[in-house]
Amino acid sequence: MKLRSYFYLLPNIVRAFFSKPDTVNYPSITLEVADRFRGSVRIKAQNCVGCSLCVRDCPAQALELEKESKNSFRLIHYRDRCTYCGQCELSCRFDAIFLDNEYDEPSSNRAHFIVTLVERVPEE
Amino acid sequence: MNILHMLFEILIFPGFAFVLFTALFFHWLDRKLIARFQGRIGPPWYQPVADLIKLFSKEDILPVGTNEVFATLLPLVSFAFVMTASFYLPFAVPTTQSFEGDIIVVIFLLSMPSLLYFLAGWITSGVYSILGGNRSLLQYFSYEVLFLLAISGTVITSGSWSLAGIRSAQLTSGSYFLPQLLGFFLTVSGLIGKLKRDPYDIPKAKSEMVAGPLTEFSGKKLGLWQLTNQLQTVVGLSFLVHTYFGGYWQMGTVGGFFTFYLLLILLQCLLSAISAIYARFRIDQLIRLNWYALIPLALIHNLFLVLK
């Protein structure tokens, strides 16, 4: 019926009015994210061998490996270039680099966006 | 003492300050209700005040080729028209003397802002403004006739052209809401057109023409336009309460005041629900609906009331 089409949204708005809102009061309530959410880039430092597979595959060139020798290297993450695509996690063969569920802190200082993920110096 | 009392009534309660407060409160209520109907949380209670403070402290820019005197005067005059109308629709405390024909004055005062809204689009040089102004005038010719015809149902039944007469007629015969349900909904339809709310928001269609006639306005002038619109909502709703729920008057000053406010809130819920349910009409759909369906319906309704 045509008349019904004028009122078919009425039950929906009544239901929405009496049920819990779908949105949250964001800054005062932390947002719950899905398990597969690609948040900030983290590393299990003991697993990293400095193979630079992640650096080679990163489409945004957000990772950089400063390698001096096999046992002495430094993996740097440029957060301002990162697109959080998760390619590094896929590329890593040693389960070292991964994306967790937390957000990266915002900042107005660019130096805060350069994070050293692994810093390995040879043992004396 | 008498002058002080009068000044208090005009400037603070139930006059200027109180009506402004009510307008801001109802604007918040409207936004909150629509948000809840759409499953959102909605703004906090101070949002309308914060918006107003923001707009009033912002820089006032007008495009080249705009008549600055007119652009300043239009929102002010429009605000004054709605404010004057509010004095004829007292909140339980009668402030101004009612006279025969004041309902026509109120209808005039409520329809003038629509014409000024058209002029606001016409004087600025933007394309969206001119198009929005034209659209607002097109819309004006369809809802205004409907509003006049529908509201005259109460005038015919009460036999009086004054708001006090319509109110006192409802004291004896009961409120006109249920006996004239059709007339009430036709009046609400006309009022939605007056307030340019969904689904009659053709002049300021956000997805097509930014903000319609108000596109080029900013700062204080835009703030005043928005305040006028919020004020118009409250005044239009209290006009409905006076004409269709006039019986609240017999409950005394305090009881009458609270009943009046409660009725206003219920009517605002109705307007918000309509805004949440319906999408915007096209201009041809609106004119066809009004001139082919609603206006003949209002005419038949009035004919029926006359014969009865």
Side-chain angles (χ1 to χ4, degrees):
Chain A
M1 270 300 286
K2 205 177 175 194
L3 196 68
R4 219 177 112 194
S5 70
Y6 283 104
F7 298 102
Y8 81 103
L9 273 175
L10 196 62
N12 292 30
I13 66 161
V14 174
R15 206 179 308 130
F17 187 77
F18 288 107
S19 56
K20 200 168 154 273
D22 297 327
T23 51
V24 293
N25 203 353
Y26 170 60
S28 54
I29 294 171
T30 25
L31 209 59
E32 276 182 34
V33 292
D35 288 340
R36 292 171 63 193
F37 181 76
R38 297 193 291 240
S40 39
V41 177
R42 301 266 190 257
I43 199 154
K44 292 173 195 156
Q46 72 276 10
N47 286 8
C48 186
V49 296
C51 66
S52 85
L53 273 177
C54 52
V55 177
R56 241 178 28 187
D57 285 356
C58 181
Q61 299 177 355
L63 290 164
E64 191 185 324
L65 188 73
E66 290 175 358
K67 197 161 187 173
E68 283 157 26
S69 69
K70 200 183 173 191
N71 290 326
S72 166
F73 59 87
R74 188 194 284 152
L75 185 63
I76 301 163
H77 178 217
Y78 293 92
R79 273 169 42 192
D80 50 346
R81 292 188 209 154
C82 186
T83 59
Y84 300 92
C85 64
Q87 180 61 46
C88 46
E89 189 178 354
L90 288 173
S91 303
C92 187
R93 292 188 188 177
F94 303 95
D95 283 339
I97 197 160
F98 66 101
L99 272 67
D100 74 357
N101 259 357
E102 285 166 31
Y103 300 109
D104 277 337
E105 290 274 311
S107 173
S108 55
N109 184 0
R110 204 150 194 186
H112 290 167
F113 292 125
I114 302 170
V115 182
T116 308
L117 290 176
V118 189
E119 185 160 19
R120 194 161 295 175
V121 283
E123 287 168 24
E124 294 298 322
Chain B
M1 186 60 209
N2 206 8
I3 289 173
L4 273 180
H5 186 73
M6 256 170 65
L7 275 178
F8 179 79
E9 276 196 339
I10 290 170
L11 292 178
I12 297 170
F13 183 87
F16 198 79
F18 184 71
V19 173
L20 269 187
F21 164 77
T22 313
L24 291 175
F25 168 68
F26 272 75
H27 183 57
W28 170 78
L29 187 72
D30 179 33
R31 287 179 64 177
K32 188 82 179 172
L33 280 171
I34 290 180
R36 292 300 294 116
F37 286 145
Q38 294 172 344
R40 292 182 286 120
I41 284 187
W45 63 270
Y46 51 82
Q47 191 67 54
V49 185
D51 282 348
L52 209 63
I53 291 171
K54 183 198 81 177
L55 279 177
F56 273 84
S57 57
K58 269 194 157 181
E59 192 188 1
D60 214 336
I61 310 164
L62 276 176
V64 180
T66 307
N67 191 329
E68 204 165 335
V69 179
F70 267 110
T72 318
L73 272 178
L74 284 175
L76 275 174
V77 173
S78 163
F79 183 78
F81 270 121
V82 184
M83 210 65 212
T84 316
S86 81
F87 286 112
Y88 289 98
L89 304 158
F91 283 33
V93 191
T95 41
T96 37
Q97 202 68 37
S98 185
F99 54 90
E100 196 63 25
D102 61 356
I103 191 167
I104 298 174
V105 175
V106 170
I107 289 171
F108 165 75
L109 289 173
L110 278 179
S111 67
M112 275 316 276
S114 302
L115 288 175
L116 297 179
Y117 188 78
F118 156 72
L119 274 181
W122 199 249
I123 57 158
T124 45
S125 44
V127 180
Y128 292 125
S129 311
I130 293 170
L131 205 60
N134 277 328
R135 281 187 179 198
S136 81
L137 213 55
L138 266 173
Q139 182 172 318
Y140 180 81
F141 286 123
S142 45
Y143 72 75
E144 196 66 31
V145 180
L146 172 69
F147 187 77
L148 273 172
L149 282 175
I151 208 76
S152 46
T154 60
V155 175
I156 291 167
T157 325
S158 65
S160 165
W161 279 102
S162 78
L163 284 161
I166 292 172
R167 282 197 301 262
S168 54
Q170 287 177 74
L171 281 181
T172 47
S173 68
S175 81
Y176 292 152
F177 172 60
L178 281 177
Q180 298 192 22
L181 200 60
L182 177 67
F184 173 74
F185 279 108
L186 291 174
T187 316
V188 169
S189 168
L191 185 68
I192 292 172
K194 242 181 214 313
L195 303 175
K196 298 170 193 69
R197 297 172 58 90
D198 291 282
Y200 285 32
D201 58 340
I202 295 162
K204 55 175 186 181
K206 284 193 191 80
S207 49
E208 299 158 23
M209 35 206 302
V210 197
L214 305 186
T215 307
E216 310 292 350
F217 283 85
S218 58
K220 294 180 193 67
K221 298 185 184 88
L222 184 64
L224 212 53
W225 274 117
Q226 291 189 355
L227 198 63
T228 305
N229 201 305
Q230 293 159 17
L231 207 63
Q232 212 180 357
T233 312
V234 175
V235 174
L237 288 181
S238 55
F239 186 58
L240 279 187
V241 175
H242 277 268
T243 44
Y244 282 97
F245 301 89
Y248 78 90
W249 210 258
Q250 64 196 350
M251 297 186 175
T253 311
V254 179
F257 172 76
F258 281 109
T259 321
F260 187 88
Y261 225 84
L262 194 71
L263 283 167
L264 279 187
I265 289 173
L266 286 177
L267 286 175
Q268 179 63 60
C269 291
L270 179 73
L271 284 194
S272 302
I274 290 172
S275 289
I277 289 177
Y278 297 113
R280 178 169 57 247
F281 285 124
R282 271 198 328 259
I283 190 85
D284 62 317
Q285 285 173 333
L286 174 86
I287 288 171
R288 199 172 296 135
L289 175 79
N290 273 282
W291 282 99
Y292 286 176
L294 299 183
I295 290 172
L297 210 61
L299 274 174
I300 294 166
H301 182 248
N302 284 358
L303 199 68
F304 177 75
L305 287 175
V306 170
L307 293 176
K308 202 172 76 171

